[in-house]
Amino acid sequence: MPDQSLKNAEKKLAAEAAVEYIKNGMIIGLGSGSTVYFTIKKIGTLVRQGLKINAVSTSGSTTDLARAEGINLISIDEAGEIDLTIDGADEVEKNSLNGIKGGGGALLFEKIVALSSKKNIWAVDSDKLVEKLGKFPVPVEVIPFGCERVFKIFEKKNLRPVVRRKGDSRYLTDSGNYIFDLHSGDISNAENLNKEIKLINGVIETGLFIGIADEIILARHDKVEILKK
């Protein structure tokens, strides 16, 4: 596993490479997380140099950073169709380009923005590329009402749920929901698992992103690789 300084250097390299896909006049979806931080900082520099774009944010933290960088934000309903969304991922499966996202808790808004986009690019460091999904737990957003029932269903399915916490309290998403992280191990069929989880009443969304990424910008040491479907 790369050390933290190398990981951060790879994140910055991949994130800034993704910015090269942005053209004047585009509507851009801005993901969330530590890699997209570098994307937003780079876009802010270009905006100050004259780049004209509108952006849709996927989280409160992204909104705060984008505004600080002078990036003009619009709502997803104002945007309609988004030209390009740049995001990160917690895991990316090498062959399928399916991924797990939501380690930062923004999976619901990230998926809505992604599904509203003509093109989705994920910028990742080399540690995120895996042969099979499942080492990183699958986040699932659930409504608080009746959540214990959902938790028990996950237990019965042997998905090994863990309630995400922030300090002494349950973690709350920007939508006011809870997150259960499923430590299921290797996922043989991510598409089927995603469907199975979403059929459970009380589940809002899963962190399994199936068939969404169009390109992966992977930074490995000081080089960038482009993975496509």
Side-chain angles (χ1 to χ4, degrees):
M1 181 180 293
D3 62 34
Q4 194 57 50
S5 59
L6 176 58
K7 282 173 64 69
N8 286 338
E10 288 183 345
K11 287 178 180 182
K12 188 173 188 291
L13 182 62
E16 292 187 350
V19 176
E20 296 177 14
Y21 288 72
I22 297 175
K23 296 179 181 178
N24 214 47
M26 277 186 166
I27 298 176
I28 304 297
L30 298 176
S32 300
S34 57
T35 302
V36 179
Y37 167 86
F38 295 111
T39 297
I40 296 171
K41 295 290 285 186
K42 181 65 174 180
I43 293 173
T45 297
L46 295 176
V47 165
R48 290 188 289 276
Q49 293 172 354
L51 177 69
K52 303 292 184 185
I53 61 163
N54 289 310
V56 177
S57 171
T58 56
S59 68
S61 58
T62 290
T63 295
D64 291 343
L65 180 58
R67 284 176 175 162
E69 289 295 320
I71 299 169
N72 188 58
L73 295 177
I74 59 175
S75 72
I76 190 166
D77 293 321
E78 288 178 274
E81 191 171 47
I82 296 167
D83 294 300
L84 168 67
T85 288
I86 299 172
D87 209 341
D90 298 301
E91 272 190 349
V92 178
E93 194 169 67
K94 185 176 181 179
N95 292 326
S96 67
L97 301 192
N98 291 332
I100 294 176
K101 292 173 47 54
L107 61 101
L108 175 60
F109 290 177
E110 285 174 342
K111 192 172 282 190
I112 291 172
V113 168
L115 293 172
S116 302
S117 302
K118 295 178 186 176
K119 185 171 186 174
N120 285 281
I121 293 175
W122 293 349
V124 299
D125 59 90
S126 59
D127 198 36
K128 301 297 193 298
L129 192 66
V130 297
E131 293 294 330
K132 185 175 288 189
L133 297 177
K135 183 178 179 182
F136 193 90
V138 177
V140 179
E141 186 160 344
V142 301
I143 63 170
F145 186 83
C147 66
E148 296 306 321
R149 169 184 165 274
V150 177
F151 190 89
K152 289 175 182 176
I153 292 172
F154 288 150
E155 286 184 319
K156 288 178 181 178
K157 291 179 178 290
N158 198 32
L159 294 173
R160 295 187 291 170
V162 174
V163 177
R164 188 177 298 188
R165 306 190 73 85
K166 186 175 183 180
D168 295 330
S169 304
R170 293 193 180 200
Y171 177 88
L172 285 178
T173 69
D174 285 351
S175 299
N177 297 314
Y178 296 152
I179 287 183
F180 295 159
D181 291 303
L182 307 183
H183 296 254
S184 59
D186 284 354
I187 298 170
S188 58
N189 191 317
E191 186 173 0
N192 284 351
L193 179 61
N194 183 60
K195 289 177 180 177
E196 180 183 349
I197 294 170
K198 292 191 73 171
L199 285 173
I200 299 170
N201 186 260
V203 168
I204 301 295
E205 190 53 85
T206 84
L208 289 165
F209 280 57
I210 311 299
I212 287 178
D214 296 295
E215 291 188 25
I216 307 296
I217 299 180
L218 175 76
R220 195 185 303 276
H221 299 290
D222 60 350
K223 293 182 173 59
V224 167
E225 302 170 26
I226 307 298
L227 308 178
K228 298 183 179 181
K229 286 183 178 178

